[in-house]
Amino acid sequence: MRLRDPICAIATPPGKGAIGVVRLSGEGALEVAAKVWRGKDPRRLKGGRFTLGEVVDPGTGEVLDQALLLVFRAPRSYTGEDALEFHTHGSPAVLRRVLEALYRAGARPAGPGEFTLRAYLNGKLDLAQAEAVLALVEAEGDLARRQALRALEGAFSRRIEALENRLLDLLAHIQALLDYPEEGVEPLEAERTIREVSAEVEGLLAQARASRLAQKGARLALIGAPNAGKSSLLNALLGYERALVSPIPGTTRDYLEAPLELFGVPLVAVDTAGVRDTEDPLERAGVERALRIAEEADLILYVVDRSAPKPAPPPLPWGRTLKVATKADLPPLWEDPGFLPVSSRTGEGMDRLKEAIHWALLGEGGGEFLLTERQVEALHRVRERLLEALSLPQDLMGLALQEALEALSALRGRGEVAEAVVARVFQNFCVGK
């Protein structure tokens, strides 16, 4: 792929809109823009300034649209190159003709993520920040947005850089031990440094599940006996009536899904059929499906009516199950401190339940950083090499520490990073970003 020639792409989503944006970047981008622009010469404009004019076909001179042109001068642009944005009306026909005009003027279509790839290659972003760009574009919940923004601002990269520096210092001292034994580091000091870096890595890995759920969302299954209050609880969590509520047991024969967001995390709550022994084949099929849904869910709410006799619990994965006692506004027939009492009618206990759901899914803090699969794999390699280093005498630690350091550096895209790794990072980007 040529990585300096001018590229262009539509940067706004498909479909009609008030405004559409076409991006252009690369060596010669200003000259390309001058061929399709009727107004102030883009080659003479200062960076960061808008100008009003018309986009024209460079072959026929036909006016394609009135537009605003925004110029970014290298290196003060997203890509680090001369770059421009044409802000046109958001008609697909207009945007298509503007692209065709730029092709005729000498630009080529950008590949997926090529603008961000150029930003990485030109030192405007490191690889972790580039991954954060994609995560920010794809964020569906507010927590994922916050995590991605922290990574884009460099918080994750700075944490990794600090660990790299500690290992570099240790590696230098160990090398000094080989060349000048009297200059080496104390064995206990070396072990302490490795254990402290390992603890930092473990702390980052502990956030992997929270990061995945923040980005991809979670499934929340409501399981319980008929008439336990599952549908009412679902409606209370949603804040509107989604499920049919009836005092007749067994109203819900199949499952019902509804999206919601709690503490910035996108969830899909699933109301299921009441779980009980039954001879009705249709109801039995609903019970079996409910238990399968529970098995596949990220978190289960086991819902029991505390104003009725306590039923025998169904077979559930209790390690990811919250026990909820509904109808807390009615006199209880039993008490159990392991259950959270709530009332879907009055709202009693609902805030505590939401906080418990948040804690069960994400743990304390909800995850400071976004972590991609690639980053989790690299951190696992770092941890393995550090554990290996601890098992070796000091004069043999060097190779394991060097490999740990290389894995850390790969997180930011520093040092030797295989082309396949870079391609993997950018393969899911949209064209125009």
Side-chain angles (χ1 to χ4, degrees):
M1 181 182 290
R2 294 160 291 159
L3 290 173
R4 291 190 177 276
D5 53 336
I7 56 172
C8 60
I10 299 170
T12 39
K16 297 178 182 179
I19 296 172
V21 177
V22 177
R23 281 180 163 171
L24 173 65
S25 182
E27 288 186 1
L30 294 168
E31 287 70 23
V32 170
K35 295 176 184 178
V36 304
W37 186 252
R38 184 177 293 169
K40 292 183 179 179
D41 189 337
R43 294 166 293 188
R44 298 184 179 181
L45 290 175
K46 293 182 178 180
R49 300 288 180 86
F50 274 104
T51 184
L52 179 65
E54 295 172 331
V55 184
V56 299
D57 186 305
T60 65
E62 176 192 358
V63 175
L64 304 179
D65 194 17
Q66 286 188 337
L68 290 171
L69 180 64
L70 177 59
V71 175
F72 300 93
R73 293 282 187 168
R76 295 184 175 183
S77 72
Y78 180 69
T79 60
E81 308 167 322
D82 285 334
L84 305 96
E85 290 183 355
F86 297 84
H87 292 232
T88 70
H89 293 92
S91 156
V94 168
L95 293 167
R96 184 172 60 252
R97 289 297 304 275
V98 172
L99 271 185
E100 291 170 355
L102 290 171
Y103 298 158
R104 292 193 187 100
R108 68 166 174 84
E114 191 171 354
F115 291 95
T116 304
L117 174 59
R118 291 187 177 199
Y120 162 65
L121 294 174
N122 291 326
K124 304 294 288 186
L125 302 169
D126 65 24
L127 206 54
Q129 289 172 302
E131 288 171 299
V133 170
L134 178 60
L136 194 54
V137 169
E138 295 184 339
E140 296 185 9
D142 199 53
L143 178 58
R145 177 196 65 79
R146 295 197 304 269
Q147 288 180 337
L149 187 59
R150 275 196 293 269
L152 180 57
E153 291 171 341
F156 178 72
S157 298
R158 288 191 294 272
R159 177 78 70 85
I160 296 303
E161 185 179 14
L163 298 180
E164 287 181 67
N165 288 335
R166 294 197 68 181
L167 288 187
L168 272 172
D169 289 344
L170 179 57
L171 203 53
H173 281 99
I174 289 174
Q175 187 61 45
L177 173 66
L178 298 178
D179 297 336
Y180 309 99
E182 67 279 3
E183 298 294 332
V185 63
E186 289 292 331
L188 288 178
E189 183 181 340
E191 181 179 339
R192 182 173 65 251
T193 298
I194 294 171
R195 290 193 183 281
E196 288 173 354
V197 173
S198 295
E200 288 269 358
V201 171
E202 289 287 355
L204 291 171
L205 283 171
Q207 300 183 41
R209 181 174 184 270
S211 183
R212 177 181 64 81
L213 293 178
Q215 293 172 71
K216 305 298 183 183
R219 288 181 69 80
L220 179 70
L222 282 71
I223 304 293
N227 213 30
K230 299 185 298 299
S231 298
S232 295
L233 182 60
L234 174 66
N235 291 340
L237 286 170
L238 296 174
Y240 63 91
E241 289 193 13
R242 173 68 176 88
L244 179 65
V245 176
S246 168
I248 302 172
T251 302
T252 305
R253 292 296 186 95
D254 204 350
Y255 70 94
L256 182 150
E257 296 185 352
L260 72 152
E261 186 172 307
L262 287 181
F263 298 98
V265 180
L267 303 176
V268 174
V270 188
D271 183 19
T272 63
V275 176
R276 66 175 174 182
D277 292 329
T278 177
E279 297 302 320
D280 183 332
L282 182 61
E283 188 176 1
R284 187 165 62 247
V287 171
E288 291 171 356
R289 177 171 287 177
L291 294 175
R292 284 199 304 272
I293 289 170
E295 191 65 38
E296 296 167 359
D298 296 289
L299 184 66
I300 301 161
L301 299 187
Y302 174 49
V303 182
V304 180
D305 177 3
R306 74 171 195 169
S307 69
K310 192 175 183 181
L316 293 175
W318 298 104
R320 48 188 169 89
T321 298
L322 289 177
K323 299 176 181 179
V324 184
T326 58
K327 306 182 185 179
D329 53 305
L330 300 178
L333 288 185
W334 51 271
E335 297 282 355
D336 187 330
F339 282 75
L340 280 170
V342 301
S343 169
S344 302
R345 188 174 68 83
T346 67
E348 178 187 343
M350 290 302 299
D351 287 342
R352 283 186 60 206
L353 175 59
K354 291 175 182 178
E355 289 171 0
I357 292 170
H358 178 262
W359 179 272
L361 286 172
L362 302 179
E364 185 176 5
E368 182 183 1
F369 295 118
L370 169 146
L371 289 175
T372 66
E373 290 182 9
R374 182 192 75 89
Q375 291 166 353
V376 171
E377 290 172 5
L379 288 168
H380 278 297
R381 289 198 302 275
V382 174
R383 181 177 63 181
E384 290 166 4
R385 297 289 80 78
L386 291 176
L387 289 174
E388 181 185 345
L390 284 172
S391 69
L392 298 171
Q394 190 174 136
D395 57 344
L396 298 179
M397 282 181 179
L399 181 59
L401 290 177
Q402 182 63 46
E403 290 175 350
L405 189 56
E406 288 170 0
L408 275 176
S409 297
L411 284 165
R412 299 193 299 136
R414 305 304 188 201
E416 293 294 326
V417 181
E419 286 187 18
V421 173
V422 176
R424 177 180 165 191
V425 169
F426 290 95
Q427 67 184 358
N428 294 320
F429 273 72
C430 58
V431 174
K433 194 63 180 176

